[in-house]
Amino acid sequence: MTLLALNEVSFQQSSTSNDLFKQLNFTVSAGECHCICGVTGIGKSTLLQLMAMPNDYEYQGQIIHSQDLRLGLVMQDPNVQLIRESIGAEVAFGLENLAYSPAKMLPLVEEALKAVGLDLPLETSVSHLSLGQKYRLMLAAQLVLSPNLIFIDEPWAQLDNAGVIELNHALKRLLDIGVSVVITEHHSEAFAGVINTRWLLESGRLHKQESLPLSSARTTSDLSHGSRGDCFDDVCLTATNYTDKTDPNTASNTHTNTGSNTDKICLTVFPLTIQFEDAEPLLQVNQTLYLNAGEVVGLFGENGCGKSSLLNQFVGIDDSNKADILMLGKTPKLGRFGKELGFLMQRPSRQLFELTVRQELEFSLKRYDLPLSSASEILKSLEITHLAELSPHKLSYGQQHLVALASVMCVKPKVLLLDDPFAGLDSQYFANVIDALTEFTRQGGAIIITSHRPVLEGMINKCWLVNNKQLHEKTCNHPSFACPNENLQLDDIQRVNL
């Protein structure tokens, strides 16, 4: 049975005179799983939204929905879909609108949350969730309504390894009962076991791709049957490129350091605990940590382990542990560090407010009386000059990440805090960002990068690994620390517990 069909569909965005889509033909039948791939900014998310809500767009051609279609959509940024205060209420919202009784709703809500691995009390505040946990929540809010077709926008970027495994299991169960799935994804290999057909969106057209080599490798669904906490256990991290820049004679476990090495220390983190009010501790740091000039530190851990919360404390957004943190020789306070500290949030849209990309970058430069030519330099470095006169609010999620990164890098800070900076990026933009960050460290800049999974083998000096609510520092140069790219083999995925 055909659930959805596109017949010769063309679509033109209001911000450009060129067609984003040209005479697309696409059909989804019951029990099929399609994956749409394509470079950052090519229109994958827009295509999902056009297919889901055709009445909201002006297009040419036909978009046909079956009378029996029950469609679910999980967008790349879950915050644009969240409407309730607690996770239980969020998942129950759709059922309430369908007049389900409370007695019937409760087991359905609990089952949906279990399916996506969000094992939290129903009264848990949505505001306390990480972005990855919010993505899981939106998956549950769609699954609870028993759709027969579900659109999922780039799940790999938002989910940790355990979440990818859980989603694979959930999708397999759905496909087995005839539910259809359309995924957009840069890392389609992570879902190779459930994908029937892979498409490349290129130059406004959909091109059917060769089948993935399922017979020669196992899929993520087969890789782990452990608990979520197992995903970062027993990671062997050995170093070939790590040198300890901290002089043991000048670095101590007290709140002061003396000696010539002090000028090289950009950040000192003394033992501290992060927790929300009236809640269990989220994250504990039991050792003194240092970030030195020219260093790159990887802060790794699963969804909801406290990575973003820790960065917020370094910046001063949350000052509950300010006495235990020294950033550039000062206790954290929002706005205190000026251009010396650059912070890329996990949601780039929260940092974008100007009318064009160029104005976005120039705002920061004008604020600190810096040459405006720096805007053109960083745009060229990241290969996004073609976005300069476009509105940052109409860009793709990945493009917004690039623009927000450019806006904090163009002022040439001393420290960069980058919260999951590679989400939404294809392999080419990933490489561009790495080149820019490498040059930044050559000039003496220090960087902390967070991610759901270990990445950047040759670049990171040390890892701050969060597991079981504890942060441990390890030296790192492990084979699993690799650049995610379109050619990632499933055997490689297995090695990183995907």
Side-chain angles (χ1 to χ4, degrees):
M1 179 181 69
T2 299
L3 296 174
L4 180 144
L6 274 61
N7 295 328
E8 300 292 316
V9 170
S10 298
F11 174 69
Q12 185 180 97
Q13 286 183 313
S14 57
S15 59
T16 178
S17 58
N18 298 320
D19 284 343
L20 184 62
F21 307 131
K22 303 173 184 177
Q23 298 178 314
L24 296 185
N25 291 289
F26 180 67
T27 302
V28 183
S29 298
E32 294 180 342
C33 182
H34 297 262
C35 182
I36 300 173
C37 305
V39 300
T40 300
I42 199 65
K44 301 183 298 295
S45 300
T46 301
L47 179 56
L48 287 191
Q49 294 174 41
L50 174 63
M51 291 192 295
M53 301 170 285
N55 292 335
D56 292 347
Y57 297 87
E58 294 183 5
Y59 61 93
Q60 292 77 47
Q62 287 183 308
I63 299 178
I64 302 171
H65 285 188
S66 165
Q67 290 184 345
D68 299 322
L69 180 64
R70 301 187 307 278
L71 179 62
L73 170 64
V74 181
M75 301 173 71
Q76 199 169 11
D77 182 357
N79 289 282
V80 303
Q81 292 182 269
L82 295 168
I83 56 177
R84 303 297 291 271
E85 293 185 359
S86 69
I87 67 171
E90 184 66 48
V91 179
F93 177 77
L95 298 175
E96 290 173 340
N97 281 274
L98 296 175
Y100 277 66
S101 68
K104 289 184 178 180
M105 278 193 287
L106 182 59
L108 294 174
V109 169
E110 291 176 336
E111 182 181 354
L113 288 169
K114 182 180 179 181
V116 300
L118 199 57
D119 186 20
L120 295 171
L122 298 183
E123 64 273 12
T124 300
S125 173
V126 172
S127 65
H128 288 177
L129 301 183
S130 71
L131 191 62
Q133 288 175 313
K134 289 176 180 178
Y135 196 89
R136 293 171 185 255
L137 179 60
M138 282 314 308
L139 280 167
Q142 301 301 308
L143 294 177
V144 77
L145 297 172
S146 301
N148 56 11
L149 173 59
I150 184 167
F151 292 165
I152 307 177
D153 196 4
E154 294 202 31
W156 193 91
Q158 304 294 9
L159 298 177
D160 56 27
N161 296 343
V164 172
I165 294 168
E166 289 156 352
L167 179 56
N168 268 277
H169 287 311
L171 294 181
K172 176 102 173 33
R173 290 193 296 269
L174 292 173
L175 292 166
D176 286 345
I177 61 174
V179 176
S180 301
V181 180
V182 178
I183 302 174
T184 66
E185 188 55 71
H186 289 299
H187 307 281
S188 60
E189 292 84 355
F191 302 95
V194 295
I195 295 170
N196 303 125
T197 308
R198 187 173 183 263
W199 301 84
L200 176 64
L201 181 59
E202 185 178 42
S203 301
R205 299 183 186 276
L206 280 172
H207 305 278
K208 195 172 183 179
Q209 302 295 288
E210 293 295 326
S211 298
L212 294 171
L214 300 181
S215 60
S216 63
R218 284 173 289 175
T219 70
T220 58
S221 299
D222 305 318
L223 299 183
S224 173
H225 300 284
S227 66
R228 296 178 64 213
D230 294 335
C231 287
F232 284 92
D233 285 343
D234 303 321
V235 177
C236 177
L237 303 176
T238 59
T240 60
N241 66 334
Y242 172 71
T243 55
D244 190 350
K245 299 181 182 179
T246 304
D247 185 345
N249 295 320
T250 62
S252 67
N253 290 332
T254 65
H255 283 46
T256 59
N257 285 293
T258 59
S260 60
N261 193 60
T262 303
D263 292 339
K264 297 181 181 180
I265 299 176
C266 297
L267 171 67
T268 306
V269 185
F270 301 100
L272 56 82
T273 299
I274 295 176
Q275 66 184 114
F276 296 113
E277 187 176 356
D278 301 325
E280 293 293 319
L282 177 65
L283 171 64
Q284 290 184 316
V285 178
N286 296 318
Q287 64 186 111
T288 302
L289 306 171
Y290 299 95
L291 171 69
N292 300 300
E295 269 189 344
V296 182
V297 170
L299 175 55
F300 302 128
E302 63 185 19
N303 293 145
C305 71
K307 303 185 297 294
S308 298
S309 297
L310 186 58
L311 292 193
N312 286 341
Q313 301 226 351
F314 295 163
V315 176
I317 294 174
D318 179 353
D319 63 358
S320 57
N321 284 299
K322 64 181 180 181
D324 300 313
I325 300 169
L326 287 175
M327 172 66 75
L328 298 169
K330 307 172 187 176
T331 56
K333 182 178 180 181
L334 194 61
R336 170 169 287 176
F337 304 104
K339 71 179 184 66
E340 293 186 332
L341 176 62
F343 182 32
L344 176 66
M345 297 180 179
Q346 200 169 16
R347 288 185 65 200
S349 59
R350 297 182 64 184
Q351 295 182 254
L352 304 174
F353 52 87
E354 286 286 1
L355 296 178
T356 70
V357 169
R358 187 178 300 280
Q359 289 173 347
E360 193 73 51
L361 273 61
E362 289 182 349
F363 174 87
S364 300
L365 295 168
K366 290 176 181 177
R367 180 182 179 187
Y368 299 113
D369 196 26
L370 297 172
L372 300 186
S373 59
S374 294
S376 296
E377 292 173 6
I378 191 66
L379 289 173
K380 182 178 180 181
S381 173
L382 296 175
E383 296 187 12
I384 54 174
T385 302
H386 62 288
L387 304 178
E389 307 311 321
L390 300 181
S391 168
H393 314 290
K394 296 182 179 181
L395 300 179
S396 74
Y397 186 77
Q399 289 172 324
Q400 288 183 336
H401 256 114
L402 291 167
V403 173
L405 175 62
S407 71
V408 298
M409 287 193 69
C410 68
V411 299
K412 301 180 180 178
K414 293 181 179 179
V415 177
L416 279 175
L417 304 180
L418 307 179
D419 199 357
D420 201 13
F422 307 113
L425 302 188
D426 59 36
S427 57
Q428 182 57 56
Y429 279 123
F430 183 99
N432 293 345
V433 171
I434 294 304
D435 288 344
L437 297 181
T438 300
E439 181 59 29
F440 177 80
T441 58
R442 285 182 185 143
Q443 301 298 323
I447 305 174
I448 298 177
I449 296 175
T450 77
S451 179
H452 308 316
R453 48 186 66 84
V455 293
L456 307 179
E457 173 184 3
M459 185 177 182
I460 288 177
N461 303 102
K462 52 193 174 187
C463 307
W464 295 349
L465 198 64
V466 182
N467 195 14
N468 296 323
K469 299 185 178 182
Q470 304 290 318
L471 188 153
H472 305 280
E473 180 175 292
K474 296 176 181 285
T475 58
C476 52
N477 189 13
H478 186 261
S480 67
F481 283 63
C483 166
N485 60 63
E486 300 284 350
N487 300 315
L488 185 66
Q489 298 298 310
L490 292 178
D491 288 339
D492 294 328
I493 295 174
Q494 181 180 7
R495 286 199 294 270
V496 293
N497 289 324
L498 274 178

